[in-house]
Amino acid sequence: MFDIFRKHTKIMMILLFLLIIPSFVLFGIDRYNQAGQSDEVVAKVGSVEITKGQWELAHKNEVDRLRAARPELDAKLLDSPQARFAVLERLVRERVMLVAAEKANLQTSDARLARFLQEDPTIASLRQADGKLDIERYRQLAASQGLTPAGFENSVRQSISQQQVEAGIGRSGFVAAAPADVALSAFFEKREVQVANFLAKDYAARVNPSDADLESFYQANQALFKSPEHAKVEYVVLDMDAVKKGIKLAEADVRAYYVQNVARLSGVEERRASHILISAPKDAPAADRQKAQAQAQALLKAVRAAPDSFADVAKKNSQDTGSASKGGDLDFFARGAMVKPFEDAAFAMRKGEISDLVESDLGYHIIKLTDVKSPKPRSFEELRPGLENDLKTQQAQRKFAEFAELFTNTVYEQSDSLKPVAEKLGLEVKTVDHLLRQPAAGATGVLASEKFLSALFASDSVENKRNTEAVETAVNQMAAGRVVAYSPASTLAFAEVKPMVRARVVESRAVELARQDGAEKLAIWKKAPDKASLPGAVVVSRDQTQNLPSQLLTATLAADTTTLPAWVGVDLGANGYAVARINKVLPRDLAGQANAAQDREQYARWWNAAETRAYYAALKDRLKVEVLVPVPAASVTQ
């Protein structure tokens, strides 16, 4: 059968060409980038589906963005279930707003997209010294997000349209001063209180449980005194750093990379210029602009006739008050610091040259380029560490998939040991003892991955001591492990935990004594306030808590003060009990009008944010949003 392919190679190539190329035309390269992604649906926004592959790609992009913004950040910390779910919530929100934008016909024009991209600092950083966009780096930026340039621009276009939906609600809110002041006065109201604390620790000395009491508590609460299952584990990790360690660079490649990038890495060119400005705002009448242009033309003729007089002419005639007194001098500036087309003209001139008239939104400029500060090229040896790191990173990114496949196959095929995969890929076999099924407090890296721990404590791994499968624990990170020794969960003997049992009994009874004493005192003091033994009064509010526990502060500010003094008793949980007497209600101080205005602005922002959240909730309900994966513990839903 395979002889047919060998004998008719050219025909088969033509057939493959005819089959593959049209699919690129019909579906685009972005679809091929997504072809390997999982199509499992994790959320729905009406008829729009969000797949697990899209979720994973969004999470990778978010991790890459944060690492670029904060290189010191450990990206492994962003792989928690809560962090991943937050990305899914953001994806759902984006889809909701995109559908809403489409239904409202909120479209982003080509001109607005171009303006947005011109103003974006990330895109600005891709411009070369001549101001032109570095197309290759632009493609790399799009590719880092799994997109083509066209796909990237479409993504930005959608983002701008989505922002219009939220802006229509968030920026249109209006709060009148009177209702804002009523709400703020209630929120910032102050109360004079006296607080008596009945702390559990002060009652501990009164508790003296017998051995029988301890034994009884132990028998009733054995779940509190269990030794959790744990294991001694060996594991190996494949990540970008591990791949980079095995890469050897050719000296010629490093030097070639230096030649290609020395200008970019050495810094940016700066120019110094002076100018004469004759103001003519863009919205000024045509006659005024013509008059300004004629005046500028006359001055241009004068300075060209006598170039050395430029500073004196600028002092006498320039209408830029910031630079006129300095002879028009603007000091050194780099690209991006000046308005266009002023900047373009300045960077197209030669030193000592005087420009033609340059028209901007401010008026008419005459520019004289006085100096050029070119960055000093940094030496090869100075840049070598960074160049090598960049090249190794680039090669590691290309090789990681190959290493990952070898890693996956080896830990599976030679499942009785991790040494073969460690030797093949130059990895370190690490050991950890007393590892628990759940991530320990402060755990980092793969030992903080619930997915990896779950694989380690799976029955096959525990019972047969085989390697786990290769587990993806973070972006560009895989791990495999094997259980060396395993101890199941067991109840500790009473003799082992007797001190712990006693501490729990004492704590429990001390809390109960504090709560009982506090409640009794509250009942007595309510009937006979003059018998109350209370410390000095303090004034509390939401912004002046006086270190009161949150539940006590909330109860104090929420108490009914129709009749004063008012009393509240608050259970402080394991800390005990507290009694507060409210003596006075102090209204909000409106004397500082500046602060009052700021408070109203803040209240308006709160109101607008609340309206935006309510609108988003209504959109979710209207579009029948479904999230098909469980919400992890401690996740905060938007």
Side-chain angles (χ1 to χ4, degrees):
M1 175 180 175
F2 291 100
D3 289 341
I4 296 173
F5 288 89
R6 283 194 288 271
K7 293 177 180 178
H8 304 286
T9 304
K10 289 185 178 180
I11 295 174
M12 296 308 297
M13 288 179 65
I14 292 170
L15 285 173
L16 288 172
F17 182 84
L18 292 174
L19 288 170
I20 293 172
I21 296 302
S23 63
F24 271 101
V25 174
L26 289 171
F27 299 109
I29 296 174
D30 292 336
R31 288 291 182 88
Y32 276 82
N33 289 337
Q34 298 168 8
Q37 299 177 358
S38 169
D39 58 359
E40 175 190 346
V41 177
V42 294
K44 293 181 180 179
V45 179
S47 60
V48 179
E49 295 180 340
I50 299 174
T51 66
K52 187 175 182 180
Q54 292 169 335
W55 180 14
E56 291 294 333
L57 179 60
H59 179 255
K60 176 185 180 300
N61 290 339
E62 180 69 4
V63 171
D64 290 346
R65 183 187 67 80
L66 289 171
R67 290 187 68 182
R70 297 179 57 190
E72 78 284 359
L73 190 66
D74 183 358
K76 298 169 186 175
L77 299 177
L78 302 173
D79 196 45
S80 68
Q82 292 79 11
R84 285 180 171 273
F85 194 81
V87 172
L88 178 58
E89 289 180 307
R90 180 172 59 77
L91 273 179
V92 169
R93 187 183 186 93
E94 288 175 356
R95 296 297 188 276
V96 167
M97 293 302 173
L98 181 59
V99 172
E102 289 174 351
K103 290 182 178 295
N105 293 318
L106 296 175
Q107 299 179 352
T108 301
S109 66
D110 291 342
R112 182 167 185 179
L113 174 65
R115 186 167 65 250
F116 182 89
L117 291 175
Q118 281 181 343
E119 295 170 356
D120 185 85
T122 302
I123 304 299
S125 69
L126 304 181
R127 296 192 179 280
Q128 299 171 326
D130 59 1
K132 294 180 180 178
L133 187 67
D134 187 329
I135 299 300
E136 184 56 35
R137 291 176 64 199
Y138 183 60
R139 286 198 187 97
Q140 291 174 4
L141 172 66
S144 69
Q145 300 180 30
L147 300 169
T148 61
F152 172 74
E153 289 165 9
N154 186 55
S155 174
V156 174
R157 192 189 299 273
Q158 290 178 349
S159 178
I160 297 171
S161 297
Q162 293 163 26
Q163 291 170 16
Q164 292 181 72
V165 176
E166 291 187 305
I169 299 297
R171 297 178 186 174
S172 62
F174 173 77
V175 180
D181 286 341
V182 170
L184 289 167
S185 293
F187 186 79
F188 288 113
E189 181 183 88
K190 299 178 182 179
R191 296 189 172 188
E192 182 188 278
V193 299
Q194 292 172 276
V195 177
N197 288 306
F198 299 84
L199 301 178
K201 64 180 182 179
D202 297 333
Y203 292 80
R206 302 185 193 179
V207 181
N208 188 23
S210 65
D211 285 348
D213 292 333
L214 300 182
E215 179 74 35
S216 176
F217 185 87
Y218 169 78
Q219 293 297 337
N221 298 276
Q222 289 194 12
L224 298 175
F225 307 106
K226 280 193 171 185
S227 171
E229 63 174 329
H230 58 275
K232 182 177 181 180
V233 168
E234 293 178 345
Y235 68 99
V236 289
V237 179
L238 175 69
D239 55 17
M240 293 297 289
D241 289 338
V243 177
K244 285 167 68 174
K245 285 179 183 177
I247 293 175
K248 305 297 182 184
L249 298 173
E251 180 75 7
D253 291 340
V254 182
R255 290 190 176 275
Y257 190 68
Y258 167 76
V259 172
Q260 294 166 6
N261 293 276
V262 62
R264 175 175 62 85
L265 296 174
S266 295
V268 296
E269 179 185 286
E270 293 184 320
R271 296 198 161 206
R272 187 169 192 166
S274 298
H275 83 139
I276 300 168
L277 171 66
I278 302 302
S279 296
K282 193 174 182 180
D283 56 354
D288 291 349
R289 289 186 64 83
Q290 288 175 0
K291 182 178 178 182
Q293 184 180 16
Q295 182 183 354
Q297 195 68 50
L299 294 173
L300 174 61
K301 185 177 180 180
V303 295
R304 280 192 167 165
D308 293 341
S309 68
F310 193 96
D312 290 335
V313 174
K315 284 181 181 179
K316 295 175 183 177
N317 298 278
S318 180
Q319 293 169 357
D320 176 7
T321 55
S323 67
S325 61
K326 297 180 288 186
D329 182 35
L330 298 170
D331 210 336
F332 282 99
F333 54 87
R335 281 193 177 276
M338 296 294 178
V339 297
K340 291 182 178 294
F342 184 100
E343 177 187 286
D344 293 335
F347 277 85
M349 296 168 64
R350 295 187 298 275
K351 183 177 177 180
E353 185 179 357
I354 295 175
S355 70
D356 293 329
L357 288 189
V358 177
E359 183 181 0
S360 76
D361 290 348
L362 303 175
Y364 295 93
H365 307 261
I366 303 169
I367 306 170
K368 181 178 182 180
L369 187 66
T370 56
D371 203 355
V372 176
K373 188 189 292 183
S374 298
K376 180 182 178 182
R378 298 172 68 183
S379 69
F380 173 72
E381 291 303 327
E382 185 181 3
L383 293 175
R384 179 193 282 271
L387 296 171
E388 290 180 342
N389 184 62
D390 287 350
L391 280 172
K392 284 185 176 182
T393 298
Q394 292 172 16
Q395 292 189 26
Q397 288 172 341
R398 291 194 292 268
K399 290 187 174 183
F400 187 83
E402 175 188 334
F403 275 57
E405 183 178 5
L406 182 58
F407 182 87
T408 300
N409 292 339
T410 305
V411 298
Y412 175 76
E413 293 166 357
Q414 296 178 270
S415 61
D416 58 342
S417 174
L418 293 172
K419 289 182 180 178
V421 73
E423 291 172 356
K424 279 185 181 180
L425 299 177
L427 306 177
E428 177 188 358
V429 178
K430 300 179 181 180
T431 303
V432 60
D433 203 356
H434 213 84
L435 184 69
L436 305 180
R437 183 182 285 269
Q438 298 299 324
T444 59
V446 299
L447 298 183
S449 169
E450 292 184 359
K451 189 191 302 183
F452 182 50
L453 294 179
S454 178
L456 282 168
F457 282 89
S459 58
D460 183 58
S461 178
V462 169
E463 294 169 9
N464 301 313
K465 305 296 188 291
R466 291 197 183 103
N467 295 345
T468 67
E469 63 179 357
V471 178
E472 186 177 1
T473 51
V475 177
N476 291 332
Q477 183 188 72
M478 304 183 80
R482 60 184 296 269
V483 173
V484 178
Y486 173 78
S487 299
S490 60
T491 301
L492 298 170
F494 175 70
E496 292 182 75
V497 295
K498 185 176 178 180
M500 190 187 305
V501 175
R502 188 180 192 285
R504 284 186 173 273
V505 171
V506 169
E507 179 186 2
S508 175
R509 293 189 180 179
V511 169
E512 187 56 38
L513 286 175
R515 190 181 297 122
Q516 181 181 341
D517 193 15
E520 290 175 356
K521 290 291 196 302
L522 175 60
I524 294 171
W525 293 344
K526 277 185 176 181
K527 292 179 180 178
D530 56 321
K531 294 183 179 181
S533 177
L534 296 167
V538 294
V539 175
V540 299
S541 64
R542 285 180 175 82
D543 57 348
Q544 296 177 9
T545 66
Q546 305 295 352
N547 295 320
L548 292 189
S550 59
Q551 61 267 53
L552 177 58
L553 179 67
T554 300
T556 300
L557 295 173
D560 183 1
T561 55
T562 306
T563 302
L564 293 174
W567 295 86
V568 292
V570 179
D571 187 343
L572 299 179
N575 291 323
Y577 196 82
V579 173
R581 182 172 76 175
I582 303 153
N583 300 321
K584 294 179 183 177
V585 175
L586 306 174
R588 175 181 173 229
D589 181 14
L590 285 171
Q593 289 301 316
N595 289 339
Q598 291 175 6
D599 290 343
R600 289 189 193 116
E601 289 177 6
Q602 181 61 59
Y603 181 78
R605 285 193 288 271
W606 289 338
W607 187 271
N608 288 339
E611 286 195 335
T612 301
R613 286 194 298 272
Y615 179 64
Y616 174 58
L619 283 175
K620 286 175 68 177
D621 186 58
R622 188 186 310 161
L623 297 173
K624 296 180 172 57
V625 171
E626 294 180 77
V627 177
L628 306 176
V629 295
V631 179
S635 177
V636 179
T637 304
Q638 294 181 14

